[in-house]
Amino acid sequence: MSELTLAQDRTTPQRDATPSELTLERGLAAFRAEVDGPVAAFFSSCVHCGICAQACPFYLETGDPKYTPILKLEPLRRVWENDFTLWGKIKGKLGLQQQVTDEMLTEWEELLYDSCSMCGRCSMVCPVGNDLALMIRKSREGMVQAGHAPEGLIAASVRAIKTGSPMGLQWKTLQVQIEHVQTSSGLRVPVDQEGVEYLVLLSSMEIINFPEYLEAITKIFDHAGVTWTLSTQCFEATNAGIQIGNKDIAAQLVERVVAAAQTLKVPKVISPECGHAFTAIRWEGPNLIGRPYPFRVFHIIEVLDELRASGRIKTEGMETDRLSMHDPCNLARKSGVIDQQRNLMNLVAENFVELKEHGKFQWCCGAGGGVSSNERAEPLKMAAFKRKKAQIEEVNPERMVTMCATCRTQLEEGLEEFNMEIPVVGLTEMIAEHLVEKN
Amino acid sequence: MSGSMEFLLWTKGPMFNIAITIFAIGLLVRIAEIVMLGRKKNFAEARAGEWLPGLRTMLTRTVADPGTFQRAPFNVVVGWIWHIGFLIVLLLFLPHIALIESLTGLSWPALPNPIISLVTAVTLVALLATLVHRMTHPVKRRISTVEDYIVWAVVFAVVLTGWLAYYRLVHPYPLILGMHILAAEIMLILLPFTKLTHIFTAFIARWYNGAAFGRKGVQS
């Protein structure tokens, strides 16, 4: 609201600004607030070579040049040139500036949300070093304030703030899952236990689609003698505020995790098999709340690999079928968790084949960055998946392994769409299946 | 003849000073704009330092990753050829070294003229190829602006006039030499206000990129 007030103060009293003009002004102010040194260096350096398009599954699989990553950033580029460069200001005096209009933002909504999963592959290949994915994330802050965010993401954000879950899931649903897990495993799922080593977070999609994950960590942590707990105060790790691009919402969701961790006095927090939840809580979180955490954050795969390395996980038997693995963008390229999942694969799989481009150069499944919460983006999401599909066909595995609920859902849906009978499994549950039974 | 000589002297004298001044002040402003914007403090626990990965990315981005090379070989190779050709001719042609020496006192050995001439010809062909690519590739067409074509024309003019002057294909000689110097001066003047800035800022951009990824444990 403060931006709105500022905009009103600046408006000359010749005529009243319409509400939509005020919204646009608020949006432009949010765009301006995102311009920093890196953004200025990036836009100063772009030579329009178009190489970024060659890294984008949305462009490559549709062939439509409007999906070229750098073009998606044109609103932010204009704001930078007009307001942050001497040349732009000179242009302004001469009336030569290219303005960002409401019509433009309407057109760009599809480019900034539906056709970008913020996978960051373009950031890895740009010859001048532009971090395009970072600038998409920044642009979305402006889009939200300008009133140009997709309905699906708005709804998810509202549900996340109101209920704690982007899918509107409540603790009682998780409670039912907990009881199932306890019955089937004969183990207790700790809830609200103070002073344990780890606070475990989950994602709603996992709770609904992949309840086997909770059972898997229950077994593994029991096996390894790890103390952990869930929190009734906060169980959701995902952050709809980051996907839509709203710092206030994102910060509020991070504060809930911090509060839960502090209540239970845990030194470590585990982010689940979900990509964006990890980048949200691990990298953006402390900056959203403006202070370091009093605890450390790990992805479940990092924790499992550490348990493996220290000999606390004992496994028996190997998967013998041909397995390949999909690296979630948020985990590998954007968070540097690359070797850990391979160490774990090699622990339990004897016929593991890599996709050709993997690790930091892997290809996105097409569903990340809020694309899967944005219903109208469904056709684009499936188009982008074709890049992954081609990669999978190249090595022709019997099953795919991954470690992100969104990727896993997209892989399952996509493979089914193309009549490919390749089951998809989560790495954590695969590890759990090989634990040496306790005597 | 006297008119063309006056023109040449003007390009070497007053115009040179104007061009260098606009270039230097413009570039300083541009870089100051970037540096002064800075970055916010990062509170997330780093996996690794920023400096080394940043410096590494400043170098490594010069070479495309294998996948990108396979998908856009023409773009990568032609870009390489004309950048290297331009740098060779700029830095290893005897008269250019003499100019640099007169300005800075630094000098180094030159390449033989026939080699420079060949490299210039290759550079001109590669530049023409980039123009055709820009006008025909759907992505490049879609993202190209008037500025892209102006900058292309200026860079091409610099190389072409240099080549014509070397072979004395335009008479009188001072006219074509003056045109070559003027073209280079126009390039200097445009540099801080167009994408030519990337000659300097691309290294800042690469550092920021390498630092941001490096902090998270990924060499970008």
Side-chain angles (χ1 to χ4, degrees):
Chain A
M1 283 307 284
S2 62
E3 300 291 2
L4 198 63
T5 319
L6 277 173
Q8 280 168 327
D9 289 344
R10 276 203 299 272
T11 312
T12 45
Q14 290 159 344
R15 65 187 176 90
D16 291 331
T18 64
S20 73
E21 282 172 341
L22 289 177
T23 310
L24 176 65
E25 188 46 49
R26 191 177 63 189
L28 293 177
F31 272 109
R32 275 180 221 119
E34 293 298 320
V35 175
D36 58 5
V39 169
F42 299 153
F43 284 131
S44 297
S45 304
C46 178
V47 293
H48 290 164
C49 70
I51 291 280
C52 50
Q54 303 299 331
C56 178
F58 292 90
Y59 161 71
L60 287 171
E61 297 304 328
T62 61
D64 191 333
K66 72 175 175 179
Y67 298 131
T68 302
I70 193 68
L71 189 66
K72 297 171 187 172
L73 296 165
E74 183 60 14
L76 183 63
R77 193 201 66 81
R78 288 189 185 183
V79 167
W80 161 76
E81 183 181 287
N82 293 348
D83 297 341
F84 293 89
T85 70
L86 175 66
W87 180 231
K89 286 173 194 153
I90 294 171
K91 275 184 172 172
K93 293 267 188 279
L94 301 171
L96 295 171
Q97 279 184 351
Q98 293 176 296
Q99 299 295 340
V100 175
T101 62
D102 197 54
E103 292 71 44
M104 179 190 192
L105 295 183
T106 306
E107 198 186 335
W108 253 259
E109 190 181 313
E110 186 214 5
L111 304 184
L112 282 163
Y113 287 100
D114 304 26
S115 66
C116 179
S117 58
M118 299 195 286
C119 80
R121 207 177 189 289
C122 48
S123 302
M124 292 293 291
V125 308
C126 171
V128 297
N130 289 352
D131 189 348
L132 295 112
L134 172 80
M135 295 198 282
I136 297 273
R137 166 72 186 87
K138 285 171 168 285
S139 295
R140 288 185 181 183
E141 290 285 331
M143 294 299 278
V144 168
Q145 295 303 326
H148 284 289
E151 287 301 320
L153 283 172
I154 294 172
S157 304
V158 170
R159 281 193 299 267
I161 288 293
K162 280 191 182 158
T163 69
S165 148
M167 298 168 89
L169 202 90
Q170 290 171 11
W171 175 264
K172 59 187 178 197
T173 311
L174 178 53
Q175 183 65 47
V176 173
Q177 292 291 357
I178 291 170
E179 278 152 27
H180 281 307
V181 168
Q182 292 186 149
T183 310
S184 95
S185 69
L187 300 167
R188 201 175 61 84
V189 175
V191 175
D192 290 337
Q193 291 237 320
E194 268 188 41
V196 293
E197 188 175 6
Y198 293 106
L199 167 64
V200 167
L201 300 172
L202 301 167
S203 74
S204 289
M205 191 183 277
E206 224 159 34
I207 297 167
I208 292 173
N209 288 354
F210 311 113
E212 54 271 33
Y213 170 77
L214 181 60
E215 182 163 350
I217 54 168
T218 306
K219 286 178 179 169
I220 295 170
F221 288 164
D222 174 69
H223 169 94
V226 168
T227 61
W228 63 290
T229 185
L230 293 173
S231 163
T232 51
Q233 202 183 333
C234 176
F235 62 84
E236 181 68 51
T238 65
N239 195 315
I242 281 175
Q243 296 189 321
I244 197 170
N246 183 291
K247 284 177 170 170
D248 299 333
I249 293 175
Q252 210 174 322
L253 297 175
V254 171
E255 290 283 17
R256 287 179 190 172
V257 175
V258 176
Q262 283 180 314
T263 306
L264 297 172
K265 303 181 182 70
V266 292
K268 297 171 187 170
V269 170
I270 298 180
S271 187
E273 280 200 356
C274 172
H276 96 264
F278 184 56
T279 46
I281 194 80
R282 174 69 176 84
W283 303 111
E284 274 211 49
N287 298 318
L288 287 163
I289 63 173
R291 60 181 195 276
Y293 294 145
F295 51 82
R296 300 184 72 201
V297 179
F298 300 92
H299 189 270
I300 180 68
I301 295 301
E302 289 180 282
V303 176
L304 296 184
D305 189 47
E306 193 163 317
L307 293 174
R308 176 202 63 80
S310 57
R312 291 170 73 185
I313 292 184
K314 301 254 185 307
T315 59
E316 59 186 0
M318 299 287 268
E319 300 290 328
T320 54
D321 55 342
R322 189 173 167 83
L323 299 178
S324 193
M325 183 166 66
H326 166 71
D327 282 303
C329 319
N330 277 299
L331 193 62
R333 180 159 48 240
K334 296 175 82 175
S335 295
V337 179
I338 294 171
D339 296 335
Q340 290 90 329
Q341 55 268 45
R342 288 170 173 77
N343 296 340
L344 293 165
M345 279 298 276
N346 290 329
L347 192 65
V348 295
E350 61 183 28
N351 196 358
F352 163 46
V353 280
E354 289 278 16
L355 297 178
K356 213 165 134 200
E357 287 177 290
H358 58 264
K360 68 181 181 184
F361 277 117
Q362 59 73 260
W363 287 95
C364 179
C365 66
V371 174
S372 64
S373 316
N374 177 4
E375 291 86 358
R376 70 162 189 233
E378 181 68 25
L380 273 168
K381 185 181 84 155
M382 267 307 142
F385 174 74
K386 286 192 279 179
R387 178 84 1 193
K388 195 83 236 172
K389 170 182 167 270
Q391 269 203 298
I392 295 172
E393 282 170 334
E394 240 176 353
V395 303
N396 195 26
E398 284 167 86
R399 283 185 297 162
M400 285 297 295
V401 180
T402 193
M403 51 237 83
C404 164
T406 300
C407 297
R408 185 172 171 185
T409 306
Q410 166 79 341
L411 289 174
E412 286 179 349
E413 285 177 11
L415 290 166
E416 189 177 306
E417 171 97 9
F418 293 103
N419 298 313
M420 291 164 74
E421 284 184 23
I422 301 175
V424 186
V425 288
L427 181 54
T428 306
E429 58 180 278
M430 204 164 85
I431 296 292
E433 281 165 17
H434 287 275
L435 295 174
V436 173
E437 294 279 338
K438 273 204 250 179
N439 295 319
Chain B
M1 182 69 194
S2 70
S4 62
M5 191 48 104
E6 270 171 33
F7 169 64
L8 176 61
L9 290 174
W10 174 74
T11 61
K12 284 184 152 187
M15 189 55 199
F16 183 76
N17 293 332
I18 291 169
I20 282 285
T21 309
I22 294 177
F23 160 74
I25 294 174
L27 186 64
L28 266 176
V29 168
R30 196 64 179 262
I31 292 184
E33 279 167 358
I34 294 169
V35 175
M36 282 161 68
L37 274 167
R39 289 180 301 170
K40 282 191 183 138
K41 184 173 164 51
N42 196 332
F43 293 102
E45 183 194 346
R47 275 195 209 283
E50 293 191 326
W51 274 103
L52 213 60
L55 292 171
R56 216 174 277 151
T57 300
M58 282 169 80
L59 293 177
T60 55
R61 278 304 160 99
T62 312
V63 182
D65 64 280
T68 300
F69 182 74
Q70 272 172 27
R71 276 178 286 278
F74 185 85
N75 216 343
V76 172
V77 171
V78 173
W80 258 79
I81 291 176
W82 90 256
H83 274 88
I84 293 173
F86 192 94
L87 281 173
I88 288 177
V89 177
L90 174 69
L91 297 176
L92 299 175
F93 182 45
L94 193 60
H96 294 165
I97 297 174
L99 172 69
I100 293 166
E101 190 178 9
S102 74
L103 291 171
T104 64
L106 299 169
S107 80
W108 48 82
L111 276 180
N113 283 348
I115 294 179
I116 293 290
S117 169
L118 179 70
V119 171
T120 311
V122 170
T123 305
L124 283 171
V125 173
L127 276 169
L128 282 171
T130 64
L131 180 65
V132 173
H133 198 234
R134 186 167 289 289
M135 292 167 76
T136 53
H137 191 283
V139 165
K140 279 193 157 177
R141 267 172 69 123
R142 179 67 185 79
I143 62 176
S144 293
T145 61
V146 179
E147 186 193 306
D148 290 311
Y149 293 102
I150 293 173
V151 168
W152 181 89
V154 171
V155 173
F156 188 78
V158 171
V159 185
L160 181 68
T161 53
W163 197 71
L164 292 174
Y166 174 75
Y167 282 104
R168 302 185 182 235
L169 290 173
V170 174
H171 296 284
Y173 176 70
L175 175 65
I176 187 63
L177 183 60
M179 282 171 68
H180 175 59
I181 295 170
L182 182 62
E185 287 163 353
I186 291 171
M187 187 172 159
L188 273 181
I189 290 169
L190 287 182
L191 195 149
F193 307 103
T194 58
K195 66 174 184 177
L196 287 168
T197 322
H198 83 277
I199 297 168
F200 298 92
T201 56
F203 295 97
I204 305 175
R206 285 177 180 183
W207 185 85
Y208 277 132
N209 185 308
F213 276 90
R215 197 172 192 285
K216 299 177 187 174
V218 178
Q219 182 60 53
S220 72

